Amino acid sequence: MKRKIHLLAAVVATLCIAVFFISTIIVELFGSLDMIASTKSLIVTPGLFILIPAMVIVAGSGFSLGKSRKGRLVNVKKKRMPFIALNGLFILTPCAIFLSIWATSGIFDTTFYIVQGIELVAGAVNLVLMGLNMRDGLKMTGSGLPRFAKTV
């Protein structure tokens, strides 16, 4: 049961970040300033209120599951987790809140777009790290990986 909760929370968290990332790019390229502001606001509420509990559940269940496991994959996953957590806590969350406040205030200046760039890079990093953790977790459990994931 713990494994299923861990997997579900990991999928929810990864999908949240992917949706935030993709919606940001799409709205920046094709949306109006009002659409950008709306998207930024939705990323904070309800977005962060879904993402943060999912990440807490992933971390807690992951540490619990990893206590009894040994091996290279477990160690690699444990080393990635602090980077994912710190990136989310100290870069992604403050950027999301800042961008939401400025966008809803109609401030789309150079600072806004610099912070937007930082958020996109940090989001991409977290997506890659979380994807690697999911891949390694599936390897550890012997779950069937799609063929394309086995070659990555």
Side-chain angles (χ1 to χ4, degrees):
M1 183 62 150
K2 210 183 295 185
R3 258 181 44 199
K4 288 182 182 180
I5 291 170
H6 181 72
L7 178 60
L8 178 63
V11 168
V12 167
T14 304
L15 285 175
C16 279
I17 293 175
V19 167
F20 299 169
F21 187 86
I22 292 166
S23 62
T24 294
I25 290 173
I26 290 171
V27 77
E28 288 288 347
L29 292 175
F30 305 110
S32 66
L33 294 179
D34 286 340
M35 290 172 71
I36 293 170
S38 182
T39 300
K40 292 297 163 194
S41 179
L42 288 169
I43 286 172
V44 173
T45 306
L48 293 180
F49 290 95
I50 296 168
L51 174 62
I52 292 171
M55 291 298 290
V56 169
I57 292 167
V58 169
S61 60
F63 282 119
S64 178
L65 288 166
K67 275 194 295 190
S68 62
R69 298 204 61 148
K70 303 276 187 237
R72 185 185 68 79
L73 289 178
V74 175
N75 291 336
V76 170
K77 284 178 60 115
K78 284 181 179 178
K79 286 181 183 174
R80 281 189 204 120
M81 278 310 298
F83 291 106
I84 294 169
L86 293 173
N87 190 13
L89 186 62
F90 294 115
I91 298 174
L92 290 172
T93 300
C95 283
I97 293 167
F98 171 87
L99 292 168
S100 176
I101 291 168
W102 279 39
T104 55
S105 299
I107 304 170
F108 296 95
D109 59 2
T110 304
T111 302
F112 177 89
Y113 287 104
I114 289 171
V115 173
Q116 181 66 81
I118 292 167
E119 182 187 49
L120 287 170
V121 169
V125 167
N126 261 19
L127 277 174
V128 168
L129 294 174
M130 292 168 75
L132 291 171
N133 270 6
M134 288 180 85
R135 180 201 63 191
D136 291 345
L138 291 170
K139 280 183 186 178
M140 287 169 40
T141 61
S143 298
L145 287 173
R147 288 180 190 213
F148 70 89
K150 291 181 181 178
T151 60
V152 176

